[in-house]
Amino acid sequence: MGNAPMTTTLDAPATALAAASAPRPPARRRRRSGVLARTGPSKYFAHAGVWLYVILLAAPLYYLLISAFKRNTDIFNQPFSPFTPLTLDNFGLAFSQASLGTALLNSAYITIGAEVLTLLLAVPAAFALARSKGAIGRVVERVFALGFLIPGFAALVPTVLLSIAMHLFHTREFLILFLPASAMPLTVILLTQAMRAVPAELEESALLDGAGPIRVLWSVYVPLAIPTLTVVAILNFLSFWNEYFFSLVIIGPEASLRTAQVALPTLSIANAAQYGVLAAGILITLIPAYLVYAVFAEKMENAVLAGALKG
Amino acid sequence: MTALSPDLVARRRSAKRRRGELLQLSATLPALLWFLVFTLGPLISLFYFSTVNWRGLIAPRTPAGADNFVRLLNDPIVWLATGNTILQLVVTLPIVVVGAFMIAYYLNLKPRGHRFVRALMFTPVLLSASALAMVFIGVFAPKGMINGFLEILSLEEFARPWLANGDSAMLSIIIVTIWCSMSVSAIMLAARLNSIDASVFEAAEIDGCGHFRRMWSIAWPMCREFVGVVTMLQFLWTLFSSAAVVLLLTKGGPGNATATLSFLVYDFAFNQSKVGYSQAVAVVLFIVGVVGILVIRRAFRQKY
């Protein structure tokens, strides 16, 4: 594995990220609106094509949404009509049949624990890397960058063995320890880039005021890196909350420990014919992710672009 | 002696600087250690486990040399899974990359409703692998969305149990893969297109370039390298993440019709008690991943 490929993976999305976070000049937006209207009849193909795609994208989501509130017989008889008697029973059933309440708490415990640990490890590392100018710092940064090329899934079995060796098999705590490692490359690299942008004068004046390195980190670097911190936090939240395979294998089938993502498919096994209950379960597990999206819509776009690094 | 001293001073100063840097870089040690223990360590041990004979996680293991890899070559399921993986990649990659680019170009013209489209495209980002699979359990079910739609159109003869039917199961998996990844790629490409200076397109328009020419002769070459990055991510995602979708939608069935290489890694290790053998598949998968990245990188190298 040469180090050539990772430089592209690093540079290109990073510039795109920078471009996306820069404020767009309003003048350009005005000039470009209505551009499509000025072309010939081919524009109708473009409109039709994209809106066909929109329909194909939206149809399963629409079906999911209305099914969650419908009775089973109505799902079969009038699959697309939203005007059937609505019910909230599916949500209650999803909770009781998949122990979703416990599962959501487990997911929250793992997500928050892993997120805190990630930031505790990554922030000092990024701080040191951003300030280092020597060759060793560059090597360390390269090692983290190598992580982008490592597909976590390939190492599923050795990771399980590691959890057994650490006597943490079938525990949630192993995931809290393991997930930050998978998020480390992206978090460290993005934070390092953000902290490099901190002006040297600010740090110098803090040093003149007698601040130690920890004080400089906490009072100068962290506040200025807040936008990037938010982006990596959102990204990590999504990947921790949505993690499936490692949760499945490492925590195992124990209902009191499993995460929401592992509990959700048990609804389909128990209710092959009850899509309404399953749909309600999907919506419930989607709520936290959707809330984050709703609150941070703009930041979320940056997070996705940053995620391009990791995929 | 006097001639040497500036050199000596410089060396001493650089040694001091290096010590200072090491002290400072010790702050990266916890993060580095974490990364090495939980990510790099398992990955390296993968190569060792691929050379052992091992029936289960608690069974003793015996050295097997290259036996696992020889067995791979003569295993029809592995060949079937390789075929399925190649089919999935060959169908998914061009549709997703070209389609996403066209959607991104369209969105960048800011037509009416582009905000709505963009917001909608974010939903697949929020879905986890299990939620995604569960949505499509309902879509492909015998009495699910697609069959219900066909019934409304009075096209019942095309209705079938999509996931349980050997002919349509792999097609269904591919549809799910495309459905959830096209919008993410489009969002990424739209941001890249947005960073191209609008005057480039205006100049082309004055020169009489239609939209189609502008999309493929200007925008595409200018984004070439970023399109390569998106292709690379899509390739890795399809190669590795199909395991969860396959496991949850079909468990590799009916028969082995939907087994992919990444699914086999899971299936051999956790359902069939062939741990060493599964790791040999994982090694193959890993090598395919690295080779694929290098090929894609070469294919999309910036040409101007």
Side-chain angles (χ1 to χ4, degrees), chain B residues 245-256:
Chain B
V245 177
V246 171
L247 173 69
L248 287 162
L249 280 180
T250 63
K251 294 196 168 59
N256 285 307

Side-chain angles (χ1 to χ4, degrees), chain A residues 126-139:
Chain A
F127 177 57
L129 284 177
R131 290 176 6 137
S132 104
K133 289 173 183 67
I136 310 164
R138 277 200 299 278
V139 171

Side-chain angles (χ1 to χ4, degrees), chain B residues 33-51:
Chain B
L33 203 69
W34 228 265
F35 173 65
L36 294 177
V37 168
F38 287 99
T39 309
L40 222 48
L43 190 78
I44 292 166
S45 55
L46 180 72
F47 287 86
Y48 164 68
F49 290 129
S50 70
T51 65

Side-chain angles (χ1 to χ4, degrees), chain B residues 32-102:
Chain B
L32 202 57
L33 203 69
W34 228 265
F35 173 65
L36 294 177
V37 168
F38 287 99
T39 309
L40 222 48
L43 190 78
I44 292 166
S45 55
L46 180 72
F47 287 86
Y48 164 68
F49 290 129
S50 70
T51 65
V52 297
N53 210 336
W54 196 7
R55 302 289 306 167
L57 290 176
I58 42 170
R61 38 178 194 258
T62 51
D67 284 4
N68 285 330
F69 292 95
V70 176
R71 251 170 82 201
L72 274 181
L73 291 174
N74 300 310
D75 192 335
I77 300 171
V78 173
W79 284 109
L80 186 70
T82 309
N84 279 339
T85 303
I86 292 172
L87 178 73
Q88 197 184 15
L89 287 170
V90 165
V91 176
T92 309
L93 279 183
I95 293 182
V96 167
V97 174
V98 173
F101 184 78
M102 292 174 77

